Amino acid sequence: MKHVYTLSDLRDPAFATEMPKAKLAVIGYPIKHSASPQMHQAALDEAGIDLQYIRVEVEPGKVDECFTEMERLGFVGCNVTVPHKLEAMALCDEVTDDAKALGATNTIHFKDGKRSGHNTDGPGLAQAILEDFGKSLTELRILILGAGGGAGRAIATQCAREGSPRIYLSNRTVEKLEPIAKSLTDDYGAKLVYTLSNDSEALTIAASRVDLIINSTSLGLKEEDSLPIPAEALNGSLMIYDAIYNPAVTPLLADANKIGAKTSNGLSMLLHQGAISFEFWLGQRPSVEAMRKGLGK
Ligand code: NDP
């Protein structure tokens, strides 16, 4: 078994005979770092479902061809990650309300010649916050850093759907936030939605008015990255969630730990969005414990 497959591999007549159990996958570009295979394989094995979950690297613009090959090979479905979540949604015959609300799909089910699209990122984040902090989004005032990105937008929408009483949206490119804020208020009835840039002063004021800060910027993935919010803006009564899970402790989480804030990283979001995807494909809840072990958590 290869670490990463390509569209050419799927097209190769040898694939069907050499990999007859490969019926689930994650597609993205690049994809080699995805932790989804070990998480899903652990749940499949635990449930006694004799299928394999693989990584497939697919270039932008080639998602339709990939879906066609997967359908020909009898795939049950796939997860979709960066940069394909919008392209995949446009290729679906039907999408769930969650996918419609979040404007993207991260899970596809191939069934009866149809492609069904779902989005499990928002509900997965809600589960993660409940598990890690013992609070539901409904009761939390929240500051989302990077709310203009794909993950940030999904998180913001989920907060509004669950009725978070106050939502601060921050983004480096602040212009991206107006349509998102409008959708939160018009489509989901969010009452108090504020938009701000990533200016230090504005972030410090917003941080003093919330219970939970979620980092959904990509800052923290690389060692040389600056902090997504100044350390002085943090205080020990905050909950800080970083959507990044590799590294497990980003500089933001390290600073928050030092002052006694409650912290957690994005592994729990990955875990819970994955569990919801599994159920969407296979109609049964996976063992979340097995998935957690598969992730080494
Ligand atoms: P996007 O590329 O869609 O968004 C990136 C976000 O980061 C944007 O808001 C962007 O701002 C901001 N950003 C990037 N560079 C900088 C910078 N130098 N200074 C300030 N802001 C910056 O990516 P995604 O939304 O898909 O992913 C964002 C993060 O969330 C990643 O770290 C990813 O690993 C994580 N993630 C975790 C998941 C999980 O299951 N745990 C699921 C999905 C994502 P701007 O709009 O101005 O460019």
Side-chain angles (χ1 to χ4, degrees), residues 16 21 25 46 87 90 113 152 164 180 202 206 214 217 235 248 255 262 271:
K21 295 175 186 170
E46 172 76 20
E87 188 177 337
S164 300
I180 300 171
I214 301 177
T217 74
N235 66 71
D255 280 344
K262 295 194 187 86
L271 177 72

Side-chain angles (χ1 to χ4, degrees), residues 1-282:
M1 178 165 165
K2 289 190 186 180
H3 185 72
V4 172
Y5 289 84
T6 62
L7 192 47
S8 311
D9 289 324
L10 298 189
R11 287 198 176 114
D12 185 339
F15 183 87
T17 45
E18 285 168 15
M19 295 290 293
K21 295 175 186 170
K23 302 294 177 210
L24 287 164
V26 57
I27 69 164
Y29 192 81
I31 198 61
K32 65 176 188 283
H33 299 299
S34 173
S36 290
Q38 60 258 39
M39 173 175 81
H40 280 289
Q41 198 61 55
L44 290 165
D45 296 347
E46 172 76 20
I49 299 171
D50 197 15
L51 298 180
Q52 273 179 313
Y53 185 112
I54 61 170
R55 294 179 188 83
V56 184
E57 185 172 81
V58 181
E59 286 165 31
K62 300 274 185 188
V63 176
D64 196 13
E65 289 172 52
C66 174
F67 285 176
T68 302
E69 285 309 310
M70 287 180 165
E71 287 170 317
R72 184 184 62 78
L73 290 162
F75 269 62
V76 176
C78 66
N79 281 129
V80 178
T81 188
V82 178
H84 299 321
K85 292 183 187 183
L86 294 180
E87 188 177 337
M89 181 155 172
L91 297 167
C92 287
D93 299 299
E94 54 195 25
V95 295
T96 62
D97 288 345
D98 284 322
K100 263 185 225 150
L102 302 175
T105 51
N106 75 335
T107 309
I108 309 294
H109 186 197
F110 302 116
K111 196 175 171 226
D112 305 329
K114 281 197 171 157
R115 300 167 179 178
S116 288
H118 191 20
N119 193 315
T120 67
D121 282 336
L125 181 270
Q127 275 291 118
I129 297 297
L130 191 60
E131 179 180 284
D132 295 345
F133 299 126
K135 303 263 183 200
S136 88
L137 294 175
T138 311
E139 56 188 313
L140 295 172
R141 298 169 300 165
I142 300 170
L143 164 60
I144 302 162
L145 311 173
R153 189 188 176 121
I155 290 167
T157 305
Q158 190 68 23
C159 292
R161 294 173 88 202
E162 301 217 4
S164 300
R166 197 183 292 183
I167 305 171
Y168 289 88
L169 306 175
S170 157
N171 206 56
R172 175 180 59 179
T173 315
V174 73
E175 299 74 33
K176 288 187 187 168
L177 295 176
E178 268 325 304
I180 300 171
K182 188 169 169 4
S183 161
L184 302 194
T185 48
D186 293 358
D187 302 334
Y188 302 103
K191 297 223 166 32
L192 297 175
V193 179
Y194 305 93
T195 59
L196 54 142
S197 71
N198 61 349
D199 165 77
S200 294
E201 200 179 330
L203 284 175
T204 303
I205 294 169
S208 71
R209 296 181 180 165
V210 298
D211 309 298
L212 169 67
I213 298 177
I214 301 177
N215 176 39
S216 57
T217 74
S218 39
L219 290 175
L221 284 173
K222 292 187 238 128
E223 236 172 81
E224 65 273 20
D225 282 346
S226 55
L227 285 170
I229 182 167
E232 309 77 66
L234 307 179
N235 66 71
S237 58
L238 282 164
M239 290 166 257
I240 314 278
Y241 190 86
D242 201 325
I244 293 172
Y245 54 86
N246 190 12
V249 183
T250 57
L252 169 67
L253 295 186
D255 280 344
N257 285 334
K258 271 189 221 147
I259 56 163
K262 295 194 187 86
T263 60
S264 187
N265 73 28
L267 212 55
S268 51
M269 179 176 169
L270 179 75
L271 177 72
H272 289 291
Q273 64 77 27
I276 302 167
S277 295
F278 187 105
E279 191 170 358
F280 186 64
W281 296 317
L282 299 162

